Amino acid sequence: MSTFANLARPDGRAFNALRPVRITRQYTRYAEGSVLVECGDTKVICTASVEERVPPFLRDSGQGWLTAEYGMLPRATHTRGDREAARGKQSGRTQEIQRLIGRSLRAVFDLQAFGPRTIQIDCDVIQADGGTRCASITGAFVAAHDAVSGLLAAGKLTASPIRDHVAAVSVGIYEGAPVLDLNYAEDSACDTDMNVIMTGAGGFVEIQGTAEGAPFTREQSNMLLDLASDGIAQLVAAQKQALGV
Amino acid sequence: MSTFANLARPDGRAFNALRPVRITRQYTRYAEGSVLVECGDTKVICTASVEERVPPFLRDSGQGWLTAEYGMLPRATHTRGDREAARGKQSGRTQEIQRLIGRSLRAVFDLQAFGPRTIQIDCDVIQADGGTRCASITGAFVAAHDAVSGLLAAGKLTASPIRDHVAAVSVGIYEGAPVLDLNYAEDSACDTDMNVIMTGAGGFVEIQGTAEGAPFTREQSNMLLDLASDGIAQLVAAQKQALGV
Amino acid sequence: MSTFANLARPDGRAFNALRPVRITRQYTRYAEGSVLVECGDTKVICTASVEERVPPFLRDSGQGWLTAEYGMLPRATHTRGDREAARGKQSGRTQEIQRLIGRSLRAVFDLQAFGPRTIQIDCDVIQADGGTRCASITGAFVAAHDAVSGLLAAGKLTASPIRDHVAAVSVGIYEGAPVLDLNYAEDSACDTDMNVIMTGAGGFVEIQGTAEGAPFTREQSNMLLDLASDGIAQLVAAQKQALGV
Amino acid sequence: MSTFANLARPDGRAFNALRPVRITRQYTRYAEGSVLVECGDTKVICTASVEERVPPFLRDSGQGWLTAEYGMLPRATHTRGDREAARGKQSGRTQEIQRLIGRSLRAVFDLQAFGPRTIQIDCDVIQADGGTRCASITGAFVAAHDAVSGLLAAGKLTASPIRDHVAAVSVGIYEGAPVLDLNYAEDSACDTDMNVIMTGAGGFVEIQGTAEGAPFTREQSNMLLDLASDGIAQLVAAQKQALGV
Amino acid sequence: MSTFANLARPDGRAFNALRPVRITRQYTRYAEGSVLVECGDTKVICTASVEERVPPFLRDSGQGWLTAEYGMLPRATHTRGDREAARGKQSGRTQEIQRLIGRSLRAVFDLQAFGPRTIQIDCDVIQADGGTRCASITGAFVAAHDAVSGLLAAGKLTASPIRDHVAAVSVGIYEGAPVLDLNYAEDSACDTDMNVIMTGAGGFVEIQGTAEGAPFTREQSNMLLDLASDGIAQLVAAQKQALGV
Amino acid sequence: MSTFANLARPDGRAFNALRPVRITRQYTRYAEGSVLVECGDTKVICTASVEERVPPFLRDSGQGWLTAEYGMLPRATHTRGDREAARGKQSGRTQEIQRLIGRSLRAVFDLQAFGPRTIQIDCDVIQADGGTRCASITGAFVAAHDAVSGLLAAGKLTASPIRDHVAAVSVGIYEGAPVLDLNYAEDSACDTDMNVIMTGAGGFVEIQGTAEGAPFTREQSNMLLDLASDGIAQLVAAQKQALGV
């Protein structure tokens, strides 16, 4: 991929460079896990709330649950968006994202071992510069981990139900070149946008690639997955550093 | 992939076999394009309606639009589902699917050439045995093609804005083996489920792969994409045969 | 009424002729009763789903329930209508019709004998050429009958709770003449439109007559009820033939 | 019908007797027409508001419009009902009734002659003892008449667009006998309930008959229509007396 | 305050004069308490309904509850307002008012002594000339009192849970002068509008003062509270006279 | 008030002490004004967005508008609250608060001078420890001020439409003593809660006092208003310091 070394990205990064990642734990006071995750100018508050009950469809199953909601402050973006609460419904995009967050975290959770309780993840974007769903997943994992640590410390769990890390990153074809971790300027102009979600062990949890302009080839798909794998390894390292594990 | 030749699929198909595909044009009387698409026991009515106007965000742009809605009859499935109209909102799943259908068809449409009109796709599942979103896309393409043919015949368009075929198929890891075109029984039990949308020329429009159970590997991902490419070539052939082109 | 023998109806029928009726049982696979009813170009899928529970207001009453929902595919009609699920609510017309369908079927059901279970009727119009509510009732009866037969065959019921047939037909004053079974062209242009629902024994379950233009007279009302009685006798015969009883 | 002379009705009326009717004009201050209509213990405030515009579907048609809304105070009834505004939607019953009121009044209105303005009828039940939709129609006619008189007096109309009176009454089979103007106790216990809407000239605008219990016969239908005709003649007389015409 | 004696109010009242108050009990038949309260041309029907249950958040607490809903007939006002039930939601203003009514009455209710039952207040404005929320509170107290009297008479309560009267009045700065009990004309033109809710003993339950134009001073605030205290003493006297206590 | 000097407040403050106030400007990147306001543990992001249009009711009036929306992250509080966007409607409390914020800021804005544009305020609570509506108003003023400064700098305004500062604080009766700036623990336990909104010049914009327990006296009201005046003077000073004016 060295042929892309001369690509001029809007913020000067190399094609295979992540934006600076910052993970701040205990960002707010009350949640069992509370994280501010920053990927460049994208900033998301991720909280994990523990509730000692499960949704109706799991009642009496002994199994736990983890689910997620996602929102964006109206002025997280360049121009103000509608407040979904005022409009009276969540957009299709919001629903897609929150379903993705929940699915991704459940992929590394042993819900049976978690017992009849629920982790409710909330990801609220306070500033958006592309990649909010990926940042949400990466941050939510840390918040959920803190919530589980609290349950372990309190003796409510004897072993962690978390089987592996999970993190997410976007990749795309920008000006003909594969790039890692698109910001908003790149995301708006790219031909292909792919969100990749992987475990710490390098397994794929989710791949969502979309041709915004021209269709993409199998070869491009391969280059994108390579980039994503590298990026996620760095994100998992950042999670570990934040967690001190 | 010959190692999967002995896999026992619930309906006896080979791992790389599509279900029988049937595309019936002019299924209902009034729509500009109306198709019943059947993929095994999955049956979807796809209609394309032409409206000589565009949504507000395209007003005065000269460009056209194509959008899609998706629904399922309450008893298309083994147990009755809620009627979304009665419940007063579309589920997140429904919104995800209808956004995907619209995006997929727009990928092969030259909306600038289409002019200030809209094609409204409606995909309504009357019987569901897995793969309803893929069948919807495959059928909707034919309905949209018929609608465009009508505009050409009426002299409202002088050249087709359709640049290529588009079709969709699901693939997945079922009992450890990659399989093509999952039915409901396989879909419910599979480890990984991937929806792949490609053009007639073999470009990728969308890849959506999800690990329902264990994460999947890069090698598995490659096998799935191979299977999908083969399947879509057959679906495009079925579209061409139905259209007589 | 021989004076109306020379009336020119849009489709050439005699003033007292039904459109061709076709009732196809087992139209879809999963429902306990599934019928495609066709009255000319009006086509409705009617399914009956059995659920072993009752709504809250009947809990502990020992009595069963039968209720109905109605919908129309957006492009069942000449111009596309809004999708009610997308708009977030059912229209007043839809609610009127589904209440009517439920009431009509309950009129021939012994709900006490049916026991604490519910039949949920779904009537979905896939093509509309007038008379969709009447076709829905006529078809839903057959679907409900099949659902009951299934319960009898399974030993869950020892005697049928169905006391009589029920069917529906529209009549109206078109170009000054009483006509049976109006299609859309007639329905749009008629002065009076009356929906009549009767049992196999000839009792009235519901009469809903509306003057769209000039008020109608008692004499006209009598002529319309005569026509309807004849039409319903034929529809009940078609139900019996379809059911093989 | 003399055979029904000995029927014991809950409030002691003869089978063919209306409840006392009272029509109070100018009941509230601001509406162009404002009427309190009382039929026994049923009390409805009917207002007619004139707006110098028409709904979008009539724009540039030159034609006017009349439409109606209906509501019931939560404690108009024996036990408190939900407030529809709080629940966030109108029930199917409410929608049925308000559509009926609008249709009935439009039947005697020359909307072409009325010009590009709208009469908005509001019928709000403050006390309900059966027959609220019929009382609403009877009262709304008087409110609309007052609103038209105001337009005539102001020189905005030169001739009345009202072609005839319209009024409504319920009839039913109670304890085997046909009765006129059912109160709540009768309505809850009757076998057949029929709402009949007629013009001053005796034409039928709407007949809505429903078998709540056993189906009804043609002979019963005839008796009910006779009773209704007599009742409506008295209601039209009450309207005329209230209007001083 | 004698300096304001020459102020010309639209309806000729002295600056410190209430509009005529009329409280009619047993206004409708079915509610446990039913009051028509008239303050000048403002007319509100207030009903109190007793239900032998409590909302979920009080279950098993032994405590009772009192809550209120508020509505306005669409044509209670000079120009017709939207019907909230048709629009599908209550306005912010409606919600503010009904929360205020509930809070005000609960301030004089011993909910513990009331036991596990609920009083549901409904205030429906049939004619609005300013001060509808205050009239609602003043009238609702009487309706609730009647409902409690019924429970005492029926032996369901042995002592009244009502600790004191509560009533409400608006005051404001109109043309520079403090005035009591603003009508609509004054309310629309005033600089400051304050709603004051007090007990029979003269304690404040709620003060809500808003500068519509220029901010108000501490001195003005004091004058307004003086006026309000006088007004409320008269309203409490009117309540007592209506109740015959 | 020295008698209250020994009151033990939960966080050790004197009865007349504010919590530490911190106002951070330019908290997020995109909004024309963006402020993080912290009052102790209460933290609110306030943004001001400028839009070059006005709502329909002001079209062609030449006047501008300022309006506000308010929200709370689900886990801003001790136990997680429902996400209003997911529930599909804003609570009555939310609507009350956002109406109050808008009204308060408009009180110091010359909307005529502002011209045909809108300032949209968004207040989103990320951590709640009592007094969120007051903190929102205090912070929103600074955000709006920054937005106006931007318009002045860009030459779109030649003079500021802001006539004075506005800030808000809560006061209450806690354990019998008047206290300034209640935190959540005090707010939950207090007898009277009063929100006071004042201008920099000391005029009252809004007083909202509520007896949660026992009614409050005129003397208590006076003490509370004194405390509030002192507190607001300090908040206005903090605003000025943050703005460097």
Side-chain angles (χ1 to χ4, degrees), chain C residues 177-188:
Chain C
V179 293
L180 177 66
D181 192 18
L182 289 73
N183 66 15
Y184 178 73
E186 293 170 320
D187 191 40
S188 309

Side-chain angles (χ1 to χ4, degrees), chain F residues 144-229:
Chain F
H145 196 282
D146 276 349
V148 164
S149 297
L151 291 169
L152 287 164
K156 294 190 181 167
L157 282 175
T158 53
S160 173
I162 301 181
R163 294 185 293 219
D164 199 351
H165 279 244
V166 67
V169 78
S170 75
V171 286
I173 309 289
Y174 174 72
E175 309 229 327
V179 293
L180 178 65
D181 192 19
L182 290 71
N183 66 16
Y184 178 76
E186 294 170 321
D187 192 40
S188 310
C190 73
D191 269 321
T192 290
D193 176 27
M194 186 181 275
N195 294 296
V196 180
I197 302 162
M198 298 177 74
T199 62
F204 289 97
V205 166
E206 191 107 17
I207 299 173
Q208 293 195 340
T210 301
E212 308 279 353
F216 56 98
T217 64
R218 183 69 173 271
E219 187 193 5
Q220 286 175 318
S221 168
N222 283 332
M223 289 189 298
L224 293 176
L225 292 176
D226 288 340
L227 270 184
S229 297

Side-chain angles (χ1 to χ4, degrees), chain A residues 104-120:
Chain A
S104 298
L105 267 79
R106 286 194 299 272
V108 295
F109 248 79
D110 181 343
L111 293 170
Q112 201 63 49
F114 190 47
R117 51 176 66 90
T118 297
I119 289 192
Q120 170 73 49

Side-chain angles (χ1 to χ4, degrees), chain C:
Chain C
M1 282 189 219
S2 57
T3 52
F4 304 116
N6 295 324
L7 172 74
R9 297 181 71 174
D11 59 1
R13 272 184 291 153
F15 77 98
N16 62 352
L18 287 179
R19 293 177 288 180
V21 185
R22 200 150 50 137
I23 297 175
T24 306
R25 291 164 62 205
Q26 295 173 318
Y27 184 67
T28 55
R29 286 178 72 99
Y30 306 120
E32 284 70 36
S34 174
V35 163
L36 175 71
V37 60
E38 299 170 84
C39 296
D41 280 331
T42 289
K43 303 184 185 193
V44 187
I45 300 176
C46 306
T47 58
S49 301
V50 177
E51 297 171 348
E52 293 291 330
R53 63 174 182 222
V54 291
F57 73 92
L58 288 178
R59 199 171 291 153
D60 303 323
S61 71
Q63 183 189 326
W65 191 239
L66 181 151
T67 184
E69 288 183 358
Y70 168 94
M72 202 183 263
L73 298 200
R75 198 52 199 280
T77 46
H78 287 78
T79 57
R80 184 175 183 275
D82 281 351
R83 183 179 291 270
E84 294 189 326
R87 206 179 36 183
K89 64 179 214 179
Q90 295 180 301
S91 70
R93 178 186 173 275
T94 292
Q95 293 195 55
E96 249 179 69
I97 293 175
Q98 64 193 11
R99 284 157 54 88
L100 175 66
I101 298 169
R103 222 157 55 218
S104 298
L105 267 78
R106 287 195 297 272
V108 295
F109 248 79
D110 181 343
L111 294 169
Q112 201 63 49
F114 190 47
R117 52 176 65 90
T118 297
I119 288 192
Q120 171 72 48
I121 299 291
D122 286 288
C123 297
D124 285 275
V125 179
I126 62 176
Q127 194 171 281
D129 188 34
T132 64
R133 80 188 68 189
C134 291
S136 294
I137 291 166
T138 302
F141 173 79
V142 178
H145 195 281
D146 275 349
V148 164
S149 297
L151 290 169
L152 287 164
K156 295 190 181 168
L157 282 174
T158 52
S160 174
I162 301 181
R163 294 186 291 218
D164 198 351
H165 279 244
V166 68
V169 78
S170 75
V171 286
I173 309 288
Y174 174 71
E175 309 230 327
V179 293
L180 177 66
D181 192 18
L182 289 73
N183 66 15
Y184 178 73
E186 293 170 320
D187 191 40
S188 309
C190 73
D191 270 319
T192 291
D193 177 27
M194 186 182 277
N195 294 297
V196 181
I197 302 161
M198 298 176 75
T199 61
F204 289 97
V205 166
E206 189 107 17
I207 297 173
Q208 293 197 340
T210 301
E212 307 281 351
F216 55 98
T217 64
R218 184 67 174 273
E219 187 194 3
Q220 287 175 318
S221 169
N222 283 331
M223 289 188 298
L224 293 176
L225 293 176
D226 287 341
L227 271 184
S229 296
D230 288 352
I232 282 178
Q234 296 173 56
L235 291 166
V236 168
Q239 289 175 332
K240 288 183 175 167
Q241 187 178 26
L243 287 166
V245 295

Side-chain angles (χ1 to χ4, degrees), chain A:
Chain A
M1 284 193 220
S2 56
T3 52
F4 304 115
N6 295 325
L7 172 74
R9 296 182 70 173
D11 59 1
R13 274 184 290 153
F15 76 99
N16 61 352
L18 287 179
R19 294 177 286 181
V21 185
R22 198 148 54 134
I23 296 175
T24 306
R25 290 163 64 205
Q26 296 172 321
Y27 184 68
T28 55
R29 286 178 71 101
Y30 307 121
E32 284 71 35
S34 174
V35 163
L36 176 71
V37 60
E38 299 170 85
C39 296
D41 280 333
T42 288
K43 305 185 183 191
V44 188
I45 300 176
C46 306
T47 58
S49 300
V50 177
E51 296 171 351
E52 295 290 332
R53 61 168 184 229
V54 291
F57 72 92
L58 289 177
R59 199 170 293 152
D60 304 323
S61 71
Q63 183 189 326
W65 190 238
L66 181 150
T67 184
E69 288 183 357
Y70 169 94
M72 201 182 263
L73 298 200
R75 197 55 198 280
T77 46
H78 287 77
T79 56
R80 185 176 182 274
D82 280 351
R83 182 178 293 270
E84 292 189 327
R87 206 179 34 182
K89 63 179 214 176
Q90 295 180 302
S91 70
R93 176 185 174 276
T94 291
Q95 292 195 56
E96 249 179 69
I97 293 175
Q98 63 194 13
R99 283 156 55 88
L100 176 67
I101 299 169
R103 222 157 54 218
S104 298
L105 267 79
R106 286 194 299 272
V108 295
F109 248 79
D110 181 343
L111 293 170
Q112 201 63 49
F114 190 47
R117 51 176 66 90
T118 297
I119 289 192
Q120 170 73 49
I121 299 291
D122 286 288
C123 296
D124 285 275
V125 179
I126 63 176
Q127 194 171 279
D129 189 33
T132 62
R133 79 188 69 189
C134 292
S136 294
I137 291 166
T138 302
F141 173 80
V142 179
H145 195 282
D146 276 349
V148 164
S149 298
L151 291 169
L152 288 164
K156 295 191 181 167
L157 281 175
T158 53
S160 174
I162 300 181
R163 294 185 293 219
D164 198 350
H165 279 244
V166 67
V169 79
S170 75
V171 285
I173 309 289
Y174 174 70
E175 309 228 327
V179 294
L180 178 66
D181 191 18
L182 290 72
N183 67 16
Y184 178 74
E186 294 170 321
D187 191 40
S188 309
C190 73
D191 270 319
T192 291
D193 177 26
M194 187 182 275
N195 294 296
V196 182
I197 302 161
M198 299 177 74
T199 61
F204 289 97
V205 166
E206 189 107 18
I207 298 174
Q208 293 196 339
T210 301
E212 307 280 352
F216 56 99
T217 64
R218 182 68 173 273
E219 187 193 6
Q220 287 175 319
S221 169
N222 283 331
M223 291 189 297
L224 294 176
L225 293 176
D226 287 341
L227 272 184
S229 297
D230 288 353
I232 283 178
Q234 297 173 56
L235 291 167
V236 169
Q239 289 175 333
K240 288 182 175 167
Q241 186 177 28
L243 287 166
V245 294

Side-chain angles (χ1 to χ4, degrees), chain B residues 116-194:
Chain B
R117 51 176 65 90
T118 298
I119 288 192
Q120 171 72 48
I121 299 292
D122 286 287
C123 296
D124 285 275
V125 180
I126 61 176
Q127 195 170 280
D129 188 33
T132 63
R133 79 186 72 189
C134 292
S136 294
I137 291 166
T138 302
F141 173 79
V142 178
H145 196 283
D146 275 349
V148 164
S149 298
L151 291 169
L152 288 165
K156 295 191 180 167
L157 282 174
T158 53
S160 175
I162 301 181
R163 294 186 293 219
D164 199 350
H165 279 245
V166 67
V169 78
S170 74
V171 286
I173 309 289
Y174 174 71
E175 309 229 327
V179 292
L180 177 65
D181 192 19
L182 290 73
N183 66 15
Y184 178 75
E186 294 170 319
D187 191 41
S188 309
C190 73
D191 270 319
T192 291
D193 176 26
M194 186 181 277

Side-chain angles (χ1 to χ4, degrees), chain D residues 32 75 80 122 127, chain E residues 29 32 75 80 122 127:
Chain D
E32 284 71 35
R75 197 54 199 279
R80 187 177 180 273
D122 286 288
Q127 194 170 281
Chain E
R29 287 177 71 100
E32 284 71 36
R75 197 55 199 279
R80 186 177 180 273
D122 286 286
Q127 194 171 281

